């Protein structure tokens, strides 16, 4: 099966290609061009730490095939410093920057600090502003238990915001409660976060689950990049999804 025919957006956080993982990728071109010839999506985390010029986003968009999609992480200035309040100017600036990805902007990822409790009024206002700026998928990775309660779940569903399914999981124990028909899976590495590689058994179970749920339009991002495991895990899952 051609890699482009499956609707799952599968990729890594960033597009670095180590020499150890280089074999499936063409030898010529930038890292992003090579990456985009094999995988159909990527998560940009650097936007969390610093802004990128509109021309940079435009160059990235020009480097990948038409059906490639980017997920871009919302700046920490908005989530961690302003804590979702009084951030209209910052949201507009970010939207102006990432808008240069054009149709290749597939998702905006919001990762909240562990200390940020759910406040219904703040969350409702913020998600309204966020949706006004972006017509793409919105995914939210909360890490305070209050964001997993009934009120927060109802608001995310009302605003059509996808609750991230993370590993290791955040929030209280129990099964993941989805808020939209789509999934956004972030695999950080377990047991050692950002480092541990996932086992073949884990990947096989994940592939079976994704097949069973018909993950059209959903995302699965490997963030266990510190040891280089992410790319190997992504390629292994890609192979499983195509068999």
């Amino acid at each position: 099966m051609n890699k482009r025919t499956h609707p799952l957006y599968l990729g890594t956080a960033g597009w670095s290609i180590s020499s150890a993982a280089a074999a499936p990728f063409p030898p010529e071109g930038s890292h992003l061009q090579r990456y985009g010839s094999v995988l159909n999506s990527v998560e940009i985390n650097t936007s969390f730490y610093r802004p990128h010029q509109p021309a940079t986003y435009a160059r990235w968009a020009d480097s990948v095939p038409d059906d490639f999609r980017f997920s871009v992480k919302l700046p920490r200035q908005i989530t961690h410093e302003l804590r979702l309040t009084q951030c209209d100017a910052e949201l507009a600036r970010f939207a102006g920057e990432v808008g240069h990805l054009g149709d290749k902007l597939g998702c905006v990822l919001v990762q909240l600090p562990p200390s940020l409790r759910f406040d219904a009024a703040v969350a409702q206002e913020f998600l309204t502003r966020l949706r006004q700026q972006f017509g793409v998928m919105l995914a939210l990775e909360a890490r305070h238990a209050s964001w997993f309660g009934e009120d927060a779940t109802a608001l995310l569903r009302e605003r059509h915001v996808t609750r991230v399914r993370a590993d290791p999981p955040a929030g209280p124990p129990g099964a993941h409660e989805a808020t939209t028909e789509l999934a956004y899976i972030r695999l950080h590495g377990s047991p050692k976060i950002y480092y541990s590689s996932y086992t073949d058994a884990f990947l096989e179970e994940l592939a079976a689950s994704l097949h069973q749920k018909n993950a059209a339009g959903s995302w699965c991002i490997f963030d266990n990049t510190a040891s280089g495991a992410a790319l190997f895990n992504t390629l292994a899952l890609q192979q499983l999804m195509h068999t």
Side-chain angles (χ1 to χ4, degrees), residues 7-8 23 32 40 69 115-116 118 123 133 150 163 165-166 171 180 189 208-209 222 231 234 236:
L8 174 69
L32 179 55
N40 69 354
R69 294 293 180 267
S115 61
L116 186 61
F118 175 73
Q133 292 288 354
E150 292 182 2
R163 172 181 282 148
R165 175 181 155 195
T180 70
S209 174
F222 286 87
L231 202 50
T234 304

Side-chain angles (χ1 to χ4, degrees), residues 146-158:
S146 60
W147 281 87
F148 296 84
E150 292 182 2
D151 290 347
T153 298
L155 179 60
L156 293 177
R157 286 175 175 159
E158 178 185 320

Side-chain angles (χ1 to χ4, degrees), residues 3-4 10 24-26 33-41 65 68 235 238 242:
K3 68 185 172 63
R4 300 290 180 191
L10 175 61
F25 300 90
Q33 288 171 326
R34 295 165 62 208
Y35 175 102
S37 71
V38 175
L39 297 169
N40 69 354
S41 62
F68 188 96
L235 293 168
Q238 182 191 59
H242 294 166

Side-chain angles (χ1 to χ4, degrees), residues 91 108 124-139 156 158-162 180:
L91 274 176
V108 172
Q124 182 170 347
E125 176 69 13
F126 170 73
L127 294 178
T128 298
R129 301 291 190 189
L130 190 65
R131 179 54 74 194
Q132 289 171 347
Q133 292 288 354
F134 298 102
V136 299
M137 179 182 183
L138 302 177
L156 293 177
E158 178 185 320
R159 292 293 186 268
H160 203 68
V161 176
T162 299
T180 70

Side-chain angles (χ1 to χ4, degrees), residues 118-233:
F118 175 73
D119 180 301
V122 170
Q124 182 170 347
E125 176 69 13
F126 170 73
L127 294 178
T128 298
R129 301 291 190 189
L130 190 65
R131 179 54 74 194
Q132 289 171 347
Q133 292 288 354
F134 298 102
V136 299
M137 179 182 183
L138 302 177
L140 186 141
E141 183 175 9
R143 291 178 287 174
H144 191 282
S146 60
W147 281 87
F148 296 84
E150 292 182 2
D151 290 347
T153 298
L155 179 60
L156 293 177
R157 286 175 175 159
E158 178 185 320
R159 292 293 186 268
H160 203 68
V161 176
T162 299
R163 172 181 282 148
V164 168
R165 175 181 155 195
D167 182 76
H176 175 79
E177 187 171 3
T179 56
T180 70
E181 70 280 6
L182 300 177
Y184 196 106
I185 303 168
R186 297 190 83 215
L187 301 169
H188 299 296
S190 180
K192 187 176 182 181
I193 192 168
Y194 306 129
Y195 283 87
S196 293
S197 180
Y198 288 96
T199 64
D200 291 343
F202 177 94
L203 297 175
E204 289 166 4
E205 184 177 348
L206 176 59
S209 174
L210 291 169
H211 275 304
Q212 183 179 10
K213 293 178 180 177
N214 186 22
S218 292
W219 289 68
C220 183
I221 297 293
F222 286 87
D223 188 33
N224 51 339
T225 56
S227 64
L231 202 50
F232 288 103
N233 288 165

Side-chain angles (χ1 to χ4, degrees), residues 32-142:
L32 179 55
Q33 288 171 326
R34 295 165 62 208
Y35 175 102
S37 71
V38 175
L39 297 169
N40 69 354
S41 62
V42 74
E43 185 182 276
I44 299 176
N45 275 193
T46 51
S47 55
F48 179 75
Y49 300 100
R50 63 182 186 278
H52 296 299
Q53 293 295 322
T56 300
Y57 284 111
R59 185 179 74 251
W60 289 341
D62 289 341
S63 299
V64 293
D66 289 344
D67 55 357
F68 188 96
R69 294 293 180 267
F70 293 87
S71 176
V72 189
K73 195 171 181 180
L74 202 68
R76 63 179 174 181
Q77 182 185 17
I78 295 171
T79 55
H80 288 54
E81 297 172 17
L82 296 174
R83 300 174 76 82
L84 311 184
T85 64
Q86 299 181 335
C87 56
D88 286 0
E90 289 76 15
L91 274 176
R93 182 166 56 248
F94 178 67
E97 293 163 358
V98 302
H100 285 75
L101 290 172
D103 292 340
K104 294 172 186 174
L105 175 62
C107 182
V108 172
L109 171 66
V110 182
Q111 186 183 60
L112 301 181
S115 61
L116 186 61
R117 297 181 60 89
F118 175 73
D119 180 301
V122 170
Q124 182 170 347
E125 176 69 13
F126 170 73
L127 294 178
T128 298
R129 301 291 190 189
L130 190 65
R131 179 54 74 194
Q132 289 171 347
Q133 292 288 354
F134 298 102
V136 299
M137 179 182 183
L138 302 177
L140 186 141
E141 183 175 9

